[in-house]
Amino acid sequence: AQSVTQLGSHVSVSEGALVLLRCNYSSSVPPYLFWYVQYPNQGLQLLLKYTTGATLVKGINGFEAEFKKSETSFHLTKPSAHMSDAAEYFCAVSEVATGNQFYFGTGTSLTVIP
Amino acid sequence: DGGITQSPKYLFRKEGQNVTLSCEQNLNHDAMYWYRQDPGQGLRLIYYSQIVNDFQKGDIAEGYSVSREKKESFPLTVTSAQKNPTAFYLCASRRGRLNTEAFFGQGTRLTVV
């Protein structure tokens, strides 16, 4: 079965600092990759996705992620953290072998320190 | 506006009772999903459906049941057989192609009292 690993269940950064949230997947065939954000007691909102083409993907709110096949990674970054970025972030994958299912990582809670 | 509507937002249930969570979408999506979210465990798939009148078990289907009689609706019943039903439940839908994203409802928080 597909596995998605998010290293670091809690990440803290200072306001204005670089945000780096890590995501690795386990698949011999590159899956489709997604990052979602969740604010307290709400559903998930798509930040960005990688399907095909350019490996550096830009999303909403200044976030971007780079697909690296050799490292089986899809890390999420933002150059300068804002207080409003404090939330839970989930990496997800979708591939043929899982029959149209989405598999999510366990999430990373981002705290932004003023 | 198109979207996914989950109701109710908060639900309280007595032990031993069945309860049904509603999920409706007007996005004309083929696939629909139910996830359970617990702190530190991410989202775990309960059931999913790719077409009307067909659905498959996910990783944690025991104690849950679903139906898909209409394309727009995918209700989830939490039965008394579910040992630990207190959780946040999320419904999602998707166009059905692997490279498309899922759209989520706002969730239902179920508490057993």
Side-chain angles (χ1 to χ4, degrees):
Chain A
Q2 178 60 263
S3 173
V4 183
T5 302
Q6 290 184 240
L7 283 177
S9 58
H10 297 277
V11 171
S12 294
V13 301
S14 298
E15 190 174 15
L18 172 71
V19 176
L20 171 61
L21 305 181
R22 301 178 186 275
C23 174
N24 289 88
Y25 64 90
S26 62
S27 174
S28 58
V29 178
Y32 300 110
L33 296 154
F34 306 80
W35 273 102
Y36 284 84
V37 61
Q38 183 183 33
Y39 298 100
N41 293 312
Q42 294 188 25
L44 277 65
Q45 178 185 6
L46 180 72
L47 278 175
L48 47 78
K49 66 177 180 180
Y50 170 77
T51 56
T52 59
T55 56
L56 182 62
V57 180
K58 295 188 183 298
I60 63 172
N61 301 338
F63 285 94
E64 62 183 35
E66 185 172 12
F67 169 62
K68 292 187 177 181
K69 182 178 177 180
S70 61
E71 299 177 6
T72 60
S73 70
F74 190 56
H75 300 333
L76 182 71
T77 61
K78 182 174 180 178
S80 177
H82 190 272
M83 295 298 294
S84 61
D85 295 327
E88 188 90 18
Y89 292 81
F90 292 94
C91 181
V93 302
S94 170
E95 63 170 355
V96 174
T98 57
N100 204 27
Q101 293 184 36
F102 259 75
Y103 278 98
F104 285 86
T106 52
T108 297
S109 177
L110 176 66
T111 299
V112 181
I113 303 167
Chain B
D1 288 337
I4 301 178
T5 301
Q6 289 187 241
S7 60
K9 188 168 179 64
Y10 299 95
L11 188 56
F12 296 88
R13 190 197 89 175
K14 292 183 178 180
E15 282 192 31
Q17 288 182 337
N18 292 355
V19 63
T20 298
L21 282 60
S22 171
C23 179
E24 303 276 335
Q25 56 101 356
N26 60 4
L27 299 167
N28 198 33
H29 286 170
D30 292 312
M32 296 188 75
Y33 306 80
W34 274 106
Y35 292 91
R36 171 180 171 140
Q37 185 175 19
D38 297 282
Q41 297 194 49
L43 278 69
R44 293 182 290 168
L45 183 64
I46 305 172
Y47 270 97
Y48 67 104
S49 168
Q50 299 193 48
I51 57 173
V52 174
N53 292 322
D54 187 52
F55 47 83
Q56 288 78 42
K57 293 181 179 181
D59 299 321
I60 57 165
E62 185 176 351
Y64 300 97
S65 66
V66 294
S67 63
R68 186 85 187 277
E69 297 177 0
K70 300 186 298 183
K71 189 175 185 178
E72 306 81 32
S73 179
F74 191 42
L76 173 74
T77 296
V78 184
T79 75
S80 57
Q82 169 52 232
K83 299 304 180 187
N84 184 23
T86 295
F88 191 54
Y89 291 87
L90 286 160
C91 179
S93 71
R94 189 184 188 191
R95 277 208 300 271
R97 293 194 292 275
L98 290 171
N99 61 350
T100 60
E101 65 269 30
F103 291 78
F104 283 81
Q106 291 299 296
T108 293
R109 184 165 299 280
L110 173 64
T111 303
V112 174
V113 296

